Amino acid sequence: MAEGKRNPEEDGSEHVPQWAMAIDLDRCTGCEACVVACSAENNVPTAGQEQAAMGRAKHWIRIDRYYEGEFPNIKVKYRPVLCQHCDNAPCEPVCPVYATYQNAEGLNVQIYNRCIGTRYCANNCPYTVRFFDWFAPEWDGPLDLQLNPDVSIRPAGVVEKCTFCAHRIKRAKLDADAEDRDLADGDVQPACVQSCPAEAMVFGDMSDSHSKVSKKIESGRSEQLLSELGTKPRVYYLRKAD
Amino acid sequence: MDRRSFFKVVGTASGGAMTGACGKQAQEIIPLLVPEEEIVPGVEAWHPSVCQECGAGCGTIARLMASEREIEVEGELVRQRIASIKKLEGNPLDPVSGGRLCARGHAALQSLYNPDRLQGPMKRVGSRGEGRFEPVSWETAIGEVGDALAATVNSDPSKVLFLTQSRATLRTANIARFLNSLGAPAPSGIGVGDFAAETEASRRAYGWNGIPVYEIQDSTLLLSIGADFLSGWVSPVLYSRRYGHMRQGRRELRGRLIHAESRFSLTAWNADRWLPVWPGGELALALGIGHVLVTEKLAPALAEAPQELVSAYAETDLEAASSDSGIPVAAIQEVAADLASASAPLVLAGASMVRRNSADAVTAACALNLLLGNLGKAGGVIAPSVSGTRLESTRPSSAGWVERLAQAAVVFVDRVNPAYSSPSSRDALSGAGTVISFSSFLDDTSLFADWILPDHDPLEGTALSVPDASPVPAVTAAAAFAAPLYDSRPTETLLAALAGAAGKPFETLEVDASLVQLHAELDSGAGEADADSFVAESLRQGGWSGERLVHKSAQASQLGAFRPEGKQDPLVFQAYASLQFGEGSGANRPWLQELPDPASSAMWGIPVELDPGTAEKLGVRNGDIVQVESEYGSLQGPVYVNPAGIPGVVSMALGPGHENYGRYASGRGANPMKVVGDIRDRKTGASALGPTRVIVSRTKGTGRLIQFSREDRVAAPHRV
């Protein structure tokens, strides 16, 4: 281990962060900045009118909204929904080729080169955050100039989804290594978190009790989506206060 | 040998980040199967820029990396290595964006790289509106337009009309200088989003010049009337940041939000209580709340409030206010009592949907802050910051442009689209003398132009902008950092050339020189830095911001009489600027077309929103086609039955219905402004978005309402 880096593990092993996200629903306005930020960052192609009409539009993060009550006493409940990076992910055991798995840092990883497109994972995901690529993506030139070279473009026939911006995690690690230091809380910001105008989203290492995300998770308003399914998501929602 | 083998690298187009370029596109992509240790993300450079999608003027940063594009050189397809922008983010040093960015801000990139951008100057060869143009050289264009301009300027310079955005920018300052050199009238700022009602109300209620800044982050109870401040009003990123703080940024203190608007907007989503005010009833509601505060002596600053105002509130008939606004008397009384009992109450007033009486409505709502003693204090309302650039005074007004268009001999159209925002202007555009457009796209208005002289994209040019709302005195600034993709010219430079050709030369004020002026104005405020250092540092950081100023309370001036508007009978129609398309200019960005509409979840089209009762009477469901007809015009579109629609109110977002605006927007849906017609705020002349009385009828058609999520409500759980 390089000099100047701490070693928090008692057994001498290098600290392995456990990534998690907290979304404060009392701050979230539903403005969808995260949705476009994600598409821009991750080369998520637009499906176009015809494909969108067939339910093939892809949004790695979306705002789910449900109306409750009747006018004038009507409310809308909404929340950003993305891959929940479950510790007990229903998508993983059904993949016949092990294209999706949970890595040591808690990311639910999708290996596009291994995926054969059975779509069992998408079928088994209770959050419907996995998208099948029916066609190879196309961008009308010169829109392709905007593509992010850090993120692979998915070919036809595979399933794609939120990566928690794994390339940004990698970049933050490289930067920290170059500066001979440990990753600091806040060094990693997925594109959605970075963009959020209301600062509703926090990302970090939940194994660090001092991290912002840990404090949010312990705030007393924290809950997990469809927790009754036992999926153990890494995305925590902070309830809207009344 | 395949086609790709013929490509040649023809060199560098920009001095930006140029390292790490790859020879084949496939190698730019990093497969995730490669072990992590081998991935070295490409070298990047971040440059400060200014978002120009709306007048908020957010400071942004652009991620620049090496790319390649294919171009044709002397009939041969070659590969050119260029620096391209990969991503836009908020500039963390900017006091407005604070490092954050909205959906439209991100999508500005798809204006720069839009496949339908015009690639050089063009001259009309077909009839107006037909859309037939041929490429010309810049020299030809400048010469011929200069001649036409000279002829008009020498005979009657008042017949030169310049239509542009209503913003406080160096661009508008240079346009004003151009017109001044010609002896022509000042430019007209047109379109939605000029915030004329807010500016007028600020002057009348507070005696301030400009749009007030609301300190909502420190309030404990926020009443917003008419302003969808979390979506598109004035400065959505700034106010979203402040809203987040108001809710959960303070220990043990959560601010409440009561929102009054005639639509269940994004701000209404977020409110603890939504007051579904009837379109045009915002004035009645504000007067009603003021009436209760005054007559029940609940207002904490009643003694200090102007007598004229107190009388206006006192004389309001509460029952009539309730009837005109559609809000029950009890609810008005409750809101007034809530304001009176809150430790830091605040009223935020605006006109996201401008009405005929919006200037009065916003004034009456702003003036509630006088009763609450809210001026210039924490959690209150503060005067607009003065940047020191004097650019604020160049913000163009919209008054009288329609009348002038009918008489104009030379019309310049800059970054606005009157043929879309005011469809009735098409006739005048058809009959105008010479029409010159600076648009980067063949849009609805360019169709009527004699000359299209495309500007650089905002991300290719320089910029200096005063934000519409900033917590501190600030300007955002950008030097040019990305080489233009096409044979476009900066409009400000072009104006100097045209003025020269017309024999009326003027000198364009550049960003550097403007910052030097600001440095001189600031005196001690610039610290020890000399002018050169100040300019360099401002451009490096993306602008300049000063210290927070303490504003003393201002005095209400010329409050004037209020004219409540009686409630119109149903059905009424209102258009609104949407989160994704704004006033319509975002419609040619594919990211925004495929972004689910917040209310309806619609993609690639905007529906006509009906309330459930009206839909039931008409016998229509989601996707059925209805006809909406007013005295001004009609449209057909698919229905979305909005569970939160106000009974009798028909709403539709701006954005669809461009007759010409590139492949992603052209011919998609119907333009709601055709139904709204050319109605205006009586006091300011600003374009109103309704209400307009309409007849809605079912057609035999069923169109496609494409929704990302078709479910409006949680389905009942299955019982086994």
Side-chain angles (χ1 to χ4, degrees):
Chain A
M1 178 173 288
E3 232 180 276
K5 298 181 75 170
R6 69 188 164 91
N7 182 356
E9 307 299 335
E10 288 179 0
D11 63 1
S13 61
E14 194 160 346
H15 175 68
V16 178
Q18 296 300 309
W19 301 114
M21 184 182 287
I23 302 175
D24 190 337
L25 298 179
D26 211 14
R27 280 180 178 262
C28 175
T29 67
C31 74
E32 299 190 290
C34 53
V35 180
V36 183
C38 173
S39 295
E41 179 76 18
N42 292 296
N43 303 329
V44 180
T46 43
Q49 176 174 313
E50 295 306 316
Q51 297 299 318
M54 288 190 272
R56 294 174 180 175
K58 289 188 271 276
H59 292 297
W60 287 9
I61 183 169
R62 64 175 188 265
I63 307 294
D64 269 357
R65 96 276 182 264
Y66 294 105
Y67 294 91
E68 290 183 350
E70 301 295 337
F71 179 88
N73 300 312
I74 192 161
K75 288 274 183 188
V76 66
K77 283 200 169 167
Y78 60 89
R79 71 175 74 209
V81 179
L82 63 162
C83 173
Q84 305 286 298
H85 292 270
C86 307
D87 280 353
N88 188 18
C91 56
E92 291 169 6
V94 295
C95 179
V97 294
Y98 306 103
T100 185
Y101 71 101
Q102 187 182 36
N103 76 7
E105 298 180 1
L107 303 185
N108 178 267
V109 179
Q110 179 78 8
I111 305 174
Y112 304 125
N113 305 41
R114 186 175 282 171
C115 177
I116 57 171
T118 65
R119 291 176 280 153
Y120 293 166
C121 58
N123 186 52
N124 225 34
C125 173
Y127 307 103
T128 58
V129 291
R130 290 175 158 267
F131 299 91
F132 183 67
D133 290 307
W134 294 88
F135 299 99
E138 290 178 4
W139 283 268
D140 298 324
L143 281 173
D144 54 334
L145 288 176
Q146 79 201 4
L147 294 177
N148 181 358
D150 297 348
V151 178
S152 57
I153 292 170
R154 285 71 63 186
V158 305
V159 167
E160 63 177 66
K161 63 159 198 85
C162 161
T163 68
F164 264 173
C165 282
H167 58 288
R168 286 191 173 216
I169 296 174
K170 180 65 187 172
R171 161 56 66 94
K173 286 179 180 172
L174 287 172
D175 287 349
D177 278 347
E179 293 165 17
D180 194 21
R181 61 172 176 82
D182 285 313
L183 274 180
D185 190 30
D187 275 355
V188 180
Q189 289 210 329
C192 54
V193 175
Q194 195 285 324
S195 171
C196 180
E199 301 174 24
M201 307 170 95
V202 173
F203 185 79
D205 180 2
M206 64 186 285
S207 69
D208 173 3
S209 60
H210 299 293
S211 69
K212 281 183 185 169
V213 75
S214 291
K215 289 190 164 61
K216 294 279 184 190
I217 292 169
E218 298 301 322
S219 69
R221 289 191 291 129
S222 170
E223 63 185 16
Q224 291 159 300
L225 190 58
L226 301 179
S227 59
E228 65 274 22
L229 300 178
T231 50
K232 299 182 180 172
R234 286 286 180 105
V235 177
Y236 292 81
Y237 293 94
L238 272 59
R239 281 188 300 276
K240 204 169 177 67
D242 293 319
Chain B
M1 190 177 286
D2 63 8
R3 186 176 64 94
R4 191 174 286 276
S5 305
F6 283 99
F7 295 151
K8 297 172 183 173
V9 174
V10 294
T12 302
S14 164
M18 294 311 307
T19 53
C22 303
K24 292 180 181 175
Q25 186 168 1
Q27 289 176 347
E28 291 183 5
I29 307 307
I30 303 169
L32 289 191
L33 202 59
V34 175
E36 282 193 343
E37 288 69 25
E38 293 179 19
I39 299 173
V40 180
V43 177
E44 63 192 12
W46 290 88
H47 289 262
S49 187
V50 181
C51 184
Q52 296 175 56
E53 294 298 293
C54 76
C58 286
T60 59
I61 49 175
R63 186 189 187 210
L64 209 65
M65 295 183 80
S67 286
E68 293 173 359
R69 68 167 178 167
E70 295 170 5
I71 57 170
E72 196 174 305
V73 177
E74 296 175 356
E76 192 178 6
L77 204 56
V78 299
R79 177 178 291 177
Q80 182 188 34
R81 184 174 294 178
I82 64 167
S84 71
I85 301 175
K86 300 298 184 184
K87 181 92 187 299
L88 298 170
E89 293 184 356
N91 183 347
L93 300 175
D94 173 49
V96 177
S97 75
R100 311 290 171 159
L101 200 58
C102 73
R104 290 180 67 200
H106 284 291
L109 205 48
Q110 294 199 321
S111 168
L112 171 65
Y113 295 129
N114 196 293
D116 298 314
R117 268 186 71 181
L118 300 175
Q119 302 193 7
M122 297 201 298
K123 180 181 183 179
R124 178 171 62 82
V125 291
S127 58
R128 277 195 174 149
E130 189 184 344
R132 285 203 297 131
F133 293 85
E134 68 176 16
V136 291
S137 70
W138 279 107
E139 290 66 33
T140 303
I142 290 168
E144 292 195 31
V145 173
D147 288 346
L149 188 58
T152 301
V153 167
N154 292 331
S155 59
D156 185 358
S158 70
K159 290 194 169 179
V160 176
L161 175 64
F162 204 115
L163 303 176
T164 185
Q165 296 166 317
S166 182
R167 296 192 185 164
T169 62
L170 187 57
R171 184 185 187 85
T172 48
N174 276 319
I175 291 168
R177 290 162 72 98
F178 165 69
L179 294 170
N180 191 44
S181 76
L182 302 179
S188 296
I190 69 163
V192 176
D194 60 359
F195 304 113
E198 287 83 351
T199 307
E200 170 74 359
S202 174
R203 187 186 63 76
R204 286 166 65 188
Y206 306 144
W208 293 341
N209 184 20
I211 305 167
V213 180
Y214 294 91
E215 302 281 275
I216 67 171
Q217 73 280 9
D218 295 323
S219 70
T220 58
L221 174 65
L222 175 63
L223 168 65
S224 57
I225 300 180
D228 182 13
F229 66 90
L230 293 177
S231 181
W233 183 80
V234 177
S235 194
V237 174
L238 175 71
Y239 282 119
S240 294
R241 290 171 57 213
R242 294 183 151 202
Y243 169 81
H245 187 87
M246 180 188 90
R247 288 300 208 184
Q248 288 295 332
R250 298 169 289 182
R251 190 177 293 274
E252 307 296 325
L253 184 58
R254 174 183 186 267
R256 287 183 64 223
L257 170 63
I258 301 173
H259 181 64
E261 197 182 356
S262 61
R263 195 174 69 81
F264 198 57
S265 64
L266 205 71
T267 307
W269 279 27
N270 282 274
D272 300 286
R273 181 173 192 176
W274 171 46
L275 302 174
V277 62
W278 188 257
E282 298 86 356
L283 172 58
L285 175 66
L287 290 173
I289 293 170
H291 175 84
V292 178
L293 285 171
V294 167
T295 56
E296 299 191 14
K297 299 196 168 25
L298 296 173
L302 189 57
E304 294 90 55
Q307 192 52 47
E308 179 190 6
L309 176 70
V310 173
S311 301
Y313 287 136
E315 289 161 11
T316 298
D317 180 337
L318 189 56
E319 292 290 341
S322 170
S323 170
D324 289 348
S325 65
I327 305 300
V329 168
I332 295 174
Q333 290 170 328
E334 285 165 14
V335 171
D338 283 351
L339 285 171
S341 62
S343 58
L346 175 62
V347 179
L348 186 156
S352 282
M353 286 176 279
V354 177
R355 321 288 189 196
R356 293 179 181 86
N357 63 358
S358 276
D360 278 357
V362 183
T363 303
C366 278
L368 292 172
N369 283 315
L370 299 175
L371 298 180
L372 299 169
N374 263 341
L375 266 63
K377 72 171 194 184
V381 54
I382 61 173
S385 300
V386 178
S387 71
T389 59
R390 299 181 188 169
L391 291 179
E392 291 89 335
S393 62
T394 65
R395 182 188 290 272
S397 153
S398 63
W401 75 270
V402 174
E403 295 74 19
R404 290 191 52 220
L405 178 60
Q407 309 293 326
V410 176
V411 182
F412 293 99
V413 185
D414 171 51
R415 293 189 178 175
V416 289
N417 191 356
Y420 178 79
S421 59
S422 304
S424 60
S425 68
R426 286 160 185 257
D427 290 343
L429 282 168
S430 295
T434 304
V435 179
I436 301 113
S437 165
F438 302 112
S439 177
S440 296
F441 300 96
L442 191 57
D443 60 19
D444 312 70
T445 302
S446 306
L447 284 183
F448 294 90
D450 302 293
W451 299 88
I452 307 178
L453 310 178
D455 187 15
H456 285 348
D457 186 85
L459 286 164
E460 294 171 333
T462 60
L464 187 71
S465 173
V466 178
D468 276 347
S470 173
V472 292
V475 295
T476 39
F481 57 89
L485 282 183
Y486 304 118
D487 185 20
S488 52
R489 286 202 181 176
T491 297
E492 290 157 89
T493 308
L494 182 61
L495 292 180
L498 291 176
K504 305 282 185 185
F506 84 103
E507 197 174 333
T508 306
L509 190 59
E510 303 289 345
V511 171
D512 288 19
S514 201
L515 287 171
V516 169
Q517 278 186 6
L518 173 60
H519 178 264
E521 290 277 336
L522 289 173
D523 200 21
S524 61
E528 299 299 315
D530 59 38
D532 288 346
S533 309
F534 177 79
V535 171
E537 188 63 9
S538 295
L539 290 174
R540 192 183 69 77
Q541 295 197 349
W544 166 86
S545 58
E547 296 296 317
R548 183 179 180 134
L549 300 180
V550 178
H551 296 283
K552 58 183 180 183
S553 298
Q555 287 298 313
S557 63
Q558 303 170 335
L559 272 165
F562 299 116
R563 278 179 56 188
E565 191 163 86
K567 184 177 174 182
Q568 294 183 35
D569 292 332
L571 297 165
V572 297
F573 180 87
Q574 59 182 4
Y576 64 92
S578 62
L579 173 148
Q580 61 271 45
F581 302 134
E583 80 297 347
S585 62
N588 70 343
R589 279 72 149 165
W591 280 336
L592 300 180
Q593 283 285 358
E594 204 154 299
L595 188 68
D597 175 56
S600 61
S601 200
M603 301 178 294
W604 296 98
I606 288 290
V608 177
E609 297 175 35
L610 297 180
D611 69 274
T614 301
E616 191 176 349
K617 274 186 213 160
L618 292 168
V620 293
R621 296 185 300 180
N622 285 355
D624 290 346
I625 303 291
V626 289
Q627 166 132 335
V628 183
E629 198 169 356
S630 75
E631 62 178 300
Y632 307 103
S634 66
L635 63 82
Q636 290 194 352
V639 165
Y640 170 66
V641 183
N642 189 334
I646 299 175
V649 178
V650 184
S651 303
M652 191 173 176
L654 294 169
H658 286 281
E659 291 188 8
N660 225 78
Y661 193 29
R663 71 193 70 184
Y664 306 113
S666 295
R668 189 177 299 288
N671 180 358
M673 293 310 290
K674 285 188 174 174
V675 170
V676 172
D678 188 32
I679 58 173
R680 300 188 167 269
D681 178 19
R682 293 190 195 97
K683 290 261 168 52
T684 64
S687 292
L689 296 176
T692 303
R693 291 183 65 169
V694 290
I695 297 167
V696 182
S697 53
R698 182 182 180 176
T699 71
K700 289 180 180 172
T702 295
R704 273 196 306 191
L705 175 63
I706 303 171
Q707 293 171 287
F708 190 71
S709 170
R710 293 190 184 90
E711 305 300 328
D712 286 333
R713 296 179 185 270
V714 177
H718 291 288
R719 301 289 179 199
V720 180

